[in-house]
Coordinates of all heavy atoms in Angstrom, one line a residue:
V1 N -13.3 28.7 4.0 CA -13.0 28.6 2.5 C -11.7 27.9 2.3 O -10.7 28.2 3.0 CB -13.0 30.0 1.9 CG1 -12.5 29.9 0.5 CG2 -14.4 30.7 1.9
R2 N -11.7 27.0 1.4 CA -10.4 26.4 0.9 C -10.3 26.7 -0.6 O -11.3 26.7 -1.3 CB -10.5 24.9 1.1 CG -10.1 24.4 2.5 CD -10.3 22.9 2.6 NE -10.2 22.5 3.9 CZ -9.1 21.9 4.4 NH1 -8.1 21.5 3.6 NH2 -9.1 21.5 5.7
I3 N -9.1 26.8 -1.0 CA -8.8 26.8 -2.4 C -7.8 25.8 -2.7 O -6.7 25.7 -2.1 CB -8.3 28.2 -2.8 CG1 -9.4 29.3 -2.6 CG2 -7.8 28.3 -4.3 CD1 -8.9 30.7 -2.9
E4 N -8.1 25.0 -3.7 CA -7.2 23.9 -4.1 C -6.3 24.3 -5.3 O -6.8 24.9 -6.2 CB -7.9 22.6 -4.5 CG -8.4 21.9 -3.2 CD -9.3 20.7 -3.6 OE1 -9.5 20.4 -4.8 OE2 -9.7 20.1 -2.6
L5 N -5.1 24.0 -5.2 CA -4.1 24.3 -6.3 C -3.9 23.0 -7.2 O -3.5 22.0 -6.6 CB -2.8 24.8 -5.8 CG -1.6 24.9 -6.7 CD1 -1.9 25.8 -7.9 CD2 -0.4 25.2 -6.0
D6 N -4.1 23.1 -8.4 CA -3.8 22.0 -9.3 C -2.5 22.3 -10.0 O -2.4 23.1 -10.9 CB -4.9 21.9 -10.4 CG -4.7 20.7 -11.4 OD1 -3.6 20.2 -11.4 OD2 -5.7 20.4 -12.0
R7 N -1.4 21.7 -9.5 CA -0.1 22.0 -10.0 C 0.1 21.6 -11.4 O 1.0 22.2 -12.1 CB 1.0 21.4 -9.1 CG 1.1 22.1 -7.7 CD 2.3 21.8 -7.0 NE 2.3 22.5 -5.7 CZ 2.8 23.7 -5.5 NH1 3.4 24.3 -6.5 NH2 2.7 24.3 -4.4
N8 N -0.6 20.7 -11.9 CA -0.4 20.2 -13.3 C -0.9 21.3 -14.2 O -0.5 21.4 -15.4 CB -1.2 19.0 -13.5 CG -0.6 17.8 -12.8 OD1 0.6 17.7 -12.7 ND2 -1.4 16.9 -12.3
R9 N -1.9 22.1 -13.8 CA -2.4 23.2 -14.6 C -1.6 24.5 -14.5 O -1.5 25.2 -15.5 CB -3.8 23.6 -14.2 CG -4.9 22.7 -14.8 CD -6.2 23.1 -14.3 NE -7.3 22.4 -14.9 CZ -7.9 22.8 -16.0 NH1 -7.6 24.0 -16.5 NH2 -8.9 22.1 -16.5
C10 N -1.0 24.7 -13.4 CA -0.3 26.0 -13.1 C 0.8 26.2 -14.0 O 1.7 25.3 -14.2 CB 0.1 26.0 -11.7 SG 1.1 27.5 -11.2
D11 N 0.9 27.4 -14.7 CA 1.9 27.6 -15.6 C 3.0 28.6 -15.1 O 3.9 29.0 -15.7 CB 1.4 28.1 -17.0 CG 0.7 29.4 -16.9 OD1 0.7 30.1 -15.8 OD2 0.0 29.9 -17.8
G12 N 2.8 29.0 -13.8 CA 3.8 29.8 -13.1 C 4.0 31.2 -13.6 O 5.0 31.8 -13.3
H13 N 3.0 31.8 -14.2 CA 3.2 33.2 -14.7 C 2.9 34.2 -13.5 O 3.3 35.4 -13.7 CB 2.4 33.5 -15.9 CG 2.9 32.9 -17.1 ND1 4.2 33.0 -17.5 CD2 2.2 32.0 -18.0 CE1 4.3 32.2 -18.6 NE2 3.2 31.7 -18.9
G14 N 2.3 33.8 -12.5 CA 2.2 34.5 -11.3 C 1.1 35.7 -11.3 O 1.3 36.6 -10.5
M15 N 0.1 35.6 -12.1 CA -1.0 36.6 -11.9 C -1.6 36.6 -10.5 O -1.9 37.6 -10.0 CB -2.1 36.3 -12.9 CG -1.8 36.8 -14.3 SD -0.6 35.7 -15.1 CE -1.5 35.3 -16.6
C16 N -1.7 35.4 -10.0 CA -2.3 35.3 -8.6 C -1.4 36.0 -7.6 O -1.9 36.7 -6.7 CB -2.4 33.8 -8.3 SG -0.9 32.8 -8.4
A17 N -0.1 35.8 -7.8 CA 0.9 36.5 -6.9 C 0.9 38.0 -7.0 O 1.1 38.7 -6.1 CB 2.3 35.9 -7.1
D18 N 0.6 38.5 -8.2 CA 0.5 39.9 -8.4 C -0.7 40.5 -7.7 O -0.6 41.6 -7.1 CB 0.3 40.3 -9.9 CG 1.6 40.1 -10.7 OD1 2.7 40.0 -10.1 OD2 1.5 40.0 -11.9
V19 N -1.8 39.8 -7.7 CA -3.1 40.2 -7.1 C -3.0 40.0 -5.6 O -3.5 40.9 -4.8 CB -4.3 39.5 -7.7 CG1 -5.5 39.7 -6.9 CG2 -4.4 39.9 -9.2
A20 N -2.5 38.9 -5.1 CA -2.5 38.6 -3.7 C -1.1 38.1 -3.2 O -1.0 36.9 -3.0 CB -3.6 37.5 -3.4
P21 N -0.2 39.0 -3.1 CA 1.2 38.6 -2.8 C 1.4 37.9 -1.4 O 2.3 37.2 -1.2 CB 2.0 39.9 -3.0 CG 1.0 41.0 -2.9 CD -0.3 40.4 -3.4
G22 N 0.5 38.2 -0.6 CA 0.6 37.6 0.8 C 0.1 36.1 0.8 O 0.4 35.4 1.8
V23 N -0.6 35.7 -0.3 CA -1.1 34.4 -0.3 C -0.4 33.5 -1.3 O -0.1 32.3 -1.0 CB -2.6 34.5 -0.7 CG1 -3.2 33.1 -0.8 CG2 -3.4 35.3 0.3
Y24 N -0.1 34.1 -2.5 CA 0.6 33.3 -3.5 C 1.9 34.0 -3.8 O 2.1 35.2 -3.8 CB -0.2 33.4 -4.8 CG -1.7 33.0 -4.6 CD1 -2.7 33.9 -4.6 CD2 -2.0 31.6 -4.4 CE1 -4.0 33.5 -4.4 CE2 -3.3 31.3 -4.2 CZ -4.3 32.2 -4.2 OH -5.6 31.9 -4.1
E25 N 2.9 33.2 -4.1 CA 4.2 33.7 -4.3 C 5.0 32.7 -5.2 O 4.7 31.5 -5.2 CB 4.9 33.7 -2.9 CG 6.2 34.5 -2.8 CD 6.8 34.2 -1.4 OE1 6.0 34.1 -0.4 OE2 8.0 34.2 -1.3
L26 N 5.9 33.3 -6.1 CA 6.6 32.4 -6.9 C 8.0 32.2 -6.3 O 8.6 33.2 -5.9 CB 6.8 32.9 -8.3 CG 5.5 32.9 -9.1 CD1 5.8 33.5 -10.5 CD2 4.8 31.6 -9.3
D27 N 8.5 31.0 -6.2 CA 9.9 30.9 -5.7 C 10.9 31.1 -6.9 O 10.5 31.5 -8.0 CB 10.1 29.5 -5.1 CG 10.1 28.3 -6.1 OD1 10.2 28.6 -7.3 OD2 10.1 27.2 -5.6
D28 N 12.2 31.0 -6.6 CA 13.2 31.3 -7.6 C 13.1 30.5 -8.9 O 13.6 30.9 -9.9 CB 14.6 31.2 -7.0 CG 14.8 32.2 -5.9 OD1 14.1 33.2 -5.8 OD2 15.7 32.0 -5.0
D29 N 12.5 29.3 -8.7 CA 12.4 28.5 -9.9 C 11.1 28.7 -10.6 O 10.7 27.9 -11.6 CB 12.5 27.0 -9.5 CG 13.8 26.7 -8.9 OD1 14.8 27.2 -9.4 OD2 13.9 25.9 -7.9
G30 N 10.3 29.6 -10.2 CA 9.0 29.9 -10.8 C 7.9 28.9 -10.4 O 6.8 28.9 -11.0
E31 N 8.2 28.2 -9.3 CA 7.2 27.3 -8.7 C 6.3 28.1 -7.8 O 6.8 29.0 -7.0 CB 7.8 26.2 -7.8 CG 8.3 25.0 -8.6 CD 7.2 24.1 -9.0 OE1 6.5 23.6 -8.1 OE2 7.1 23.9 -10.2
L32 N 5.0 27.9 -7.9 CA 4.1 28.7 -7.0 C 4.1 28.1 -5.6 O 4.0 26.9 -5.3 CB 2.7 28.5 -7.6 CG 1.6 29.3 -6.8 CD1 1.9 30.8 -6.8 CD2 0.2 29.0 -7.3
I33 N 4.3 29.1 -4.7 CA 4.1 28.7 -3.2 C 2.8 29.3 -2.8 O 2.5 30.5 -2.9 CB 5.2 29.4 -2.4 CG1 6.6 29.0 -2.9 CG2 5.0 29.1 -0.9 CD1 7.7 29.9 -2.3
Y34 N 1.9 28.4 -2.4 CA 0.5 28.8 -2.0 C 0.5 28.6 -0.5 O 0.6 27.5 0.0 CB -0.5 27.9 -2.7 CG -1.9 28.0 -2.2 CD1 -2.4 29.2 -1.7 CD2 -2.7 26.9 -2.1 CE1 -3.7 29.3 -1.2 CE2 -4.0 27.0 -1.6 CZ -4.5 28.2 -1.2 OH -5.7 28.3 -0.6
R35 N 0.3 29.7 0.2 CA 0.5 29.7 1.6 C -0.5 28.8 2.4 O -0.3 28.3 3.5 CB 0.3 31.2 2.1 CG 0.7 31.4 3.5 CD 0.8 32.9 3.7 NE 0.4 33.2 5.1 CZ -0.2 34.4 5.5 NH1 -0.5 35.3 4.6 NH2 -0.5 34.5 6.7
F36 N -1.7 28.6 1.8 CA -2.7 27.9 2.5 C -3.0 26.5 1.8 O -4.2 26.0 1.8 CB -4.0 28.7 2.6 CG -3.8 30.0 3.3 CD1 -3.9 31.2 2.6 CD2 -3.4 30.0 4.6 CE1 -3.6 32.4 3.3 CE2 -3.1 31.2 5.3 CZ -3.2 32.4 4.6
E37 N -2.1 26.0 1.2 CA -2.3 24.7 0.5 C -2.7 23.6 1.5 O -2.1 23.4 2.5 CB -1.0 24.2 -0.2 CG -1.2 23.1 -1.2 CD -0.1 23.0 -2.2 OE1 1.0 23.6 -2.0 OE2 -0.3 22.3 -3.2
G38 N -3.9 23.0 1.2 CA -4.4 22.0 2.1 C -5.0 22.5 3.4 O -5.2 21.7 4.3
Q39 N -5.2 23.8 3.5 CA -5.7 24.4 4.7 C -6.9 25.2 4.5 O -7.1 25.8 3.4 CB -4.6 25.3 5.3 CG -3.3 24.7 5.7 CD -2.3 25.7 6.1 OE1 -2.7 26.7 6.7 NE2 -1.0 25.5 5.8
E40 N -7.6 25.4 5.6 CA -8.7 26.4 5.6 C -8.0 27.8 5.6 O -7.0 28.0 6.3 CB -9.5 26.2 6.9 CG -10.8 26.9 6.9 CD -11.8 26.3 6.1 OE1 -11.7 25.1 5.7 OE2 -12.8 27.0 5.8
I41 N -8.5 28.7 4.8 CA -8.0 30.1 4.7 C -8.5 31.0 5.8 O -9.8 31.0 5.9 CB -8.3 30.7 3.3 CG1 -7.7 29.8 2.2 CG2 -7.6 32.1 3.2 CD1 -8.2 30.2 0.8
P42 N -7.7 31.6 6.6 CA -8.2 32.5 7.6 C -9.1 33.6 7.0 O -8.8 34.1 5.9 CB -7.0 33.1 8.3 CG -5.8 32.3 7.8 CD -6.2 31.6 6.5
D43 N -10.1 34.1 7.8 CA -11.0 35.1 7.3 C -10.3 36.3 6.7 O -10.7 36.8 5.7 CB -11.9 35.6 8.5 CG -12.9 34.5 8.9 OD1 -13.1 33.5 8.2 OD2 -13.6 34.7 9.9
E44 N -9.3 36.8 7.4 CA -8.7 38.0 6.9 C -7.9 37.8 5.6 O -7.6 38.8 4.9 CB -7.7 38.6 8.0 CG -6.5 37.7 8.3 CD -6.8 36.7 9.5 OE1 -8.0 36.3 9.7 OE2 -5.8 36.4 10.1
D45 N -7.7 36.6 5.1 CA -7.0 36.4 3.9 C -7.9 35.9 2.8 O -7.5 35.7 1.6 CB -5.8 35.4 4.1 CG -4.7 36.0 4.9 OD1 -4.3 37.1 4.6 OD2 -4.3 35.3 5.9
Q46 N -9.2 35.7 3.1 CA -10.1 35.1 2.1 C -10.3 35.9 0.9 O -10.3 35.4 -0.3 CB -11.4 34.7 2.8 CG -11.3 33.4 3.6 CD -12.6 33.0 4.2 OE1 -13.7 33.6 3.9 NE2 -12.5 32.1 5.1
D47 N -10.5 37.2 1.1 CA -10.8 38.1 -0.1 C -9.7 38.1 -1.1 O -9.8 38.0 -2.3 CB -11.2 39.5 0.3 CG -12.5 39.6 1.0 OD1 -13.3 38.6 0.9 OD2 -12.8 40.6 1.6
A48 N -8.5 38.2 -0.5 CA -7.3 38.2 -1.4 C -7.1 36.9 -2.1 O -6.8 36.8 -3.3 CB -6.0 38.6 -0.5
A49 N -7.2 35.8 -1.3 CA -7.0 34.5 -1.9 C -8.0 34.2 -3.0 O -7.6 33.7 -4.1 CB -7.2 33.4 -0.8
L50 N -9.3 34.6 -2.9 CA -10.3 34.4 -3.9 C -10.0 35.3 -5.1 O -10.2 34.9 -6.3 CB -11.7 34.7 -3.3 CG -12.2 33.6 -2.4 CD1 -13.4 34.1 -1.6 CD2 -12.4 32.3 -3.1
A51 N -9.6 36.6 -4.8 CA -9.3 37.5 -5.9 C -8.1 36.9 -6.8 O -8.1 37.0 -8.0 CB -8.9 38.9 -5.4
G52 N -7.1 36.4 -6.1 CA -6.0 35.8 -6.8 C -6.4 34.6 -7.6 O -6.0 34.4 -8.8
A53 N -7.3 33.8 -7.1 CA -7.7 32.6 -7.8 C -8.5 33.0 -9.0 O -8.5 32.4 -10.1 CB -8.6 31.7 -6.9
A54 N -9.3 34.1 -8.9 CA -10.1 34.5 -10.0 C -9.4 35.0 -11.2 O -9.9 34.9 -12.3 CB -11.1 35.7 -9.5
V55 N -8.1 35.5 -11.1 CA -7.4 35.9 -12.2 C -6.5 34.8 -12.9 O -5.9 35.1 -13.9 CB -6.5 37.1 -11.9 CG1 -7.3 38.3 -11.4 CG2 -5.4 36.8 -10.9
C56 N -6.5 33.7 -12.3 CA -5.7 32.6 -12.9 C -6.2 32.3 -14.3 O -7.4 31.9 -14.4 CB -5.7 31.4 -12.0 SG -4.7 30.0 -12.7
P57 N -5.4 32.4 -15.3 CA -5.9 32.2 -16.7 C -6.1 30.7 -17.0 O -6.8 30.4 -18.0 CB -4.8 32.8 -17.5 CG -3.6 32.7 -16.7 CD -4.0 32.8 -15.3
V58 N -5.6 29.8 -16.2 CA -5.8 28.4 -16.5 C -6.6 27.6 -15.5 O -6.7 26.4 -15.4 CB -4.5 27.7 -16.7 CG1 -3.7 28.3 -17.9 CG2 -3.6 27.8 -15.5
A59 N -7.3 28.4 -14.6 CA -8.1 27.8 -13.5 C -7.4 26.8 -12.7 O -8.0 25.7 -12.4 CB -9.4 27.3 -14.1
A60 N -6.2 27.1 -12.3 CA -5.4 26.1 -11.5 C -5.8 26.3 -10.0 O -5.5 25.4 -9.2 CB -3.9 26.4 -11.7
L61 N -6.5 27.4 -9.7 CA -6.9 27.6 -8.3 C -8.4 27.6 -8.2 O -9.1 28.4 -8.9 CB -6.4 29.0 -7.8 CG -4.8 29.1 -7.7 CD1 -4.4 30.6 -7.7 CD2 -4.3 28.4 -6.5
K62 N -8.9 26.6 -7.5 CA -10.3 26.4 -7.5 C -10.8 26.4 -6.1 O -10.3 25.8 -5.2 CB -10.7 25.1 -8.1 CG -10.5 25.0 -9.6 CD -11.6 24.2 -10.3 CE -11.4 24.2 -11.8 NZ -10.8 22.9 -12.2
R63 N -11.9 27.1 -5.9 CA -12.6 27.1 -4.6 C -13.1 25.8 -4.3 O -13.7 25.1 -5.1 CB -13.7 28.2 -4.6 CG -14.3 28.3 -3.2 CD -15.3 29.5 -3.2 NE -15.9 29.5 -1.9 CZ -16.5 30.6 -1.4 NH1 -16.5 31.7 -2.1 NH2 -17.0 30.6 -0.2
A64 N -12.8 25.3 -3.1 CA -13.3 23.9 -2.7 C -13.9 24.0 -1.3 O -13.4 23.5 -0.3 CB -12.0 23.0 -2.7
G65 N -15.0 24.6 -1.2 CA -15.8 24.7 0.0 C -15.5 25.9 0.8 O -14.7 26.8 0.4
Ligands
LIG101 S1 -2.2 32.6 -11.9 FE1 -2.6 30.4 -12.0 S2 -1.2 29.6 -13.5 FE2 -0.4 31.5 -12.8 S3 1.0 31.1 -11.1 FE3 -1.1 31.5 -10.2 S4 -2.0 29.5 -10.1 FE4 -0.3 29.3 -11.5

């Protein structure tokens, strides 16, 4: 599973980071750090990554395969 981040959509409120702090994190400037950007997500992190993507209010995180 991959999840793509559309940075143009992301508004940095961090709902994804609340749900899945090991996968998504906000830096000091409110920029989202997505641990698996451009990568396949390891099995053990997939549920958390998908749950975080599901709560994004602007659909900036999309499953991509
Ligand atoms: S929930 Fe969506 S808009 Fe908010 S920080 Fe995460 S990706 Fe960005």
Side-chain angles (χ1 to χ4, degrees):
V1 170
R2 278 177 188 254
I3 293 175
E4 282 176 2
L5 166 63
D6 182 344
R7 287 195 181 273
N8 291 325
R9 277 179 174 267
C10 176
D11 63 9
H13 290 307
M15 281 74 126
C16 55
D18 288 343
V19 169
V23 177
Y24 310 104
E25 193 185 326
L26 291 181
D27 71 11
D28 293 342
D29 298 321
E31 276 286 298
L32 182 63
I33 302 166
Y34 168 38
R35 196 169 146 208
F36 303 113
E37 193 156 14
Q39 299 173 36
E40 194 72 20
I41 303 168
D43 287 350
E44 63 269 28
D45 291 309
Q46 281 181 12
D47 287 350
L50 290 168
V55 298
C56 178
V58 295
L61 293 164
K62 288 217 181 98
R63 185 170 178 162

